[in-house]
Amino acid sequence: ADANKHHMAARKGDVAHFDMLTKAYYDVSDILNEKEDRTGQTPLMAAVLAGQADVVDKLLEMGADATIPEKDGYVPMHGAGFQGRAEVARVLIKHGIQSHDVHSDGFSPLHRCVWGRQPQHVETAKILVTEGGAEVDFRTLQGHSATMMAAEMPWVEMLQALLESGADPNIKNKRGDTLLHVAVRVQNVDVVKAVLAAGADVTLTDS
């Protein structure tokens, strides 16, 4: 019951609840890192997913462990990417949490931003790359970069944001297709224009 109380406080953004804990307990590490039965989430992960940046900041200041995964193996930075929690990502980065972390499924937090399809996911992606140093051209085991995924969806705003953040416009997938080849195959004029505007080499051929 206590664990649920702390997780609920995290999700509600109740910073005062955690201030109280530091006064009531000499050692709060067990409380901070306790996993919720149903989700496997720590209070930190609960706050991340709920977008409660102030609570995330407080919990990290108190020593919460950002490497503890929830039931499916995701750590907080993946949660921030999946939910498009831009300010949370910024707080995690401030506390030295790596923005580039590869889950067992081969995807990074940046890839999870691309799945989101909302404006906040574009902002989160930019923060991961430009402030957190995430590897913008990282490819999954299947050879998918975040730009390739954005082009295939197609999601022009995300693609442009990644290219403006330094993504390689001439990146190739495992088949040897360039980003431009993918854009042409998708048959979306705006995607093609975005890749060309970023400096794609039209003379490159696939493998």
Side-chain angles (χ1 to χ4, degrees):
D2 280 347
N4 287 335
K5 179 173 68 177
H6 305 313
H7 290 79
M8 285 173 61
R11 292 185 179 107
K12 288 192 300 183
D14 189 354
V15 176
H17 173 86
F18 296 99
D19 277 327
M20 179 199 70
L21 287 182
T22 60
K23 296 169 185 172
Y25 298 93
Y26 174 72
D27 183 359
V28 295
S29 57
D30 286 346
I31 295 171
L32 294 184
N33 297 322
E34 189 164 0
K35 287 190 170 190
E36 191 175 43
D37 289 341
R38 179 175 54 84
T39 64
Q41 295 171 15
T42 60
L44 176 61
M45 188 62 157
V48 165
L49 293 172
Q52 300 293 356
D54 289 342
V55 172
V56 171
D57 193 33
K58 180 66 178 177
L59 290 171
L60 290 170
E61 283 178 3
M62 291 171 68
D65 187 345
T67 67
I68 299 175
E70 46 77 269
K71 66 180 177 64
D72 293 318
Y74 300 115
V75 292
M77 195 63 85
H78 283 267
F82 184 72
Q83 294 289 353
R85 303 302 191 187
E87 286 309 311
V88 166
R90 186 169 272 142
V91 170
L92 291 171
I93 291 165
K94 181 186 81 169
H95 284 274
I97 311 301
Q98 290 293 316
S99 62
H100 183 74
D101 177 90
V102 184
H103 184 262
S104 60
D105 64 7
F107 293 98
S108 71
L110 186 60
H111 288 106
R112 301 200 195 287
C113 286
V114 180
W115 291 342
R117 295 180 177 265
Q118 300 296 323
Q120 70 261 26
H121 291 90
V122 176
E123 184 62 25
T124 305
K126 288 193 286 189
I127 289 170
L128 290 179
V129 176
T130 61
E131 298 180 26
E135 297 178 33
V136 69
D137 289 322
F138 174 76
R139 294 182 296 180
T140 66
L141 294 174
Q142 293 77 32
H144 301 305
S145 68
T147 47
M148 291 277 186
M149 289 169 58
E152 288 172 346
M153 290 175 77
W155 188 4
V156 178
E157 292 81 8
M158 177 64 85
L159 178 61
Q160 288 175 325
L162 293 168
L163 290 167
E164 289 167 4
S165 298
D168 182 2
N170 295 309
I171 194 170
K172 291 186 176 183
N173 61 20
K174 278 196 169 183
R175 296 194 313 177
D177 297 326
T178 66
L179 187 58
L180 183 58
H181 295 144
V182 172
V184 170
R185 189 167 66 241
V186 170
Q187 297 184 327
N188 183 292
V189 174
D190 291 331
V191 170
V192 173
K193 284 181 178 177
V195 177
L196 289 173
D201 185 347
V202 298
T203 66
L204 291 177
T205 59
D206 55 13
S207 300

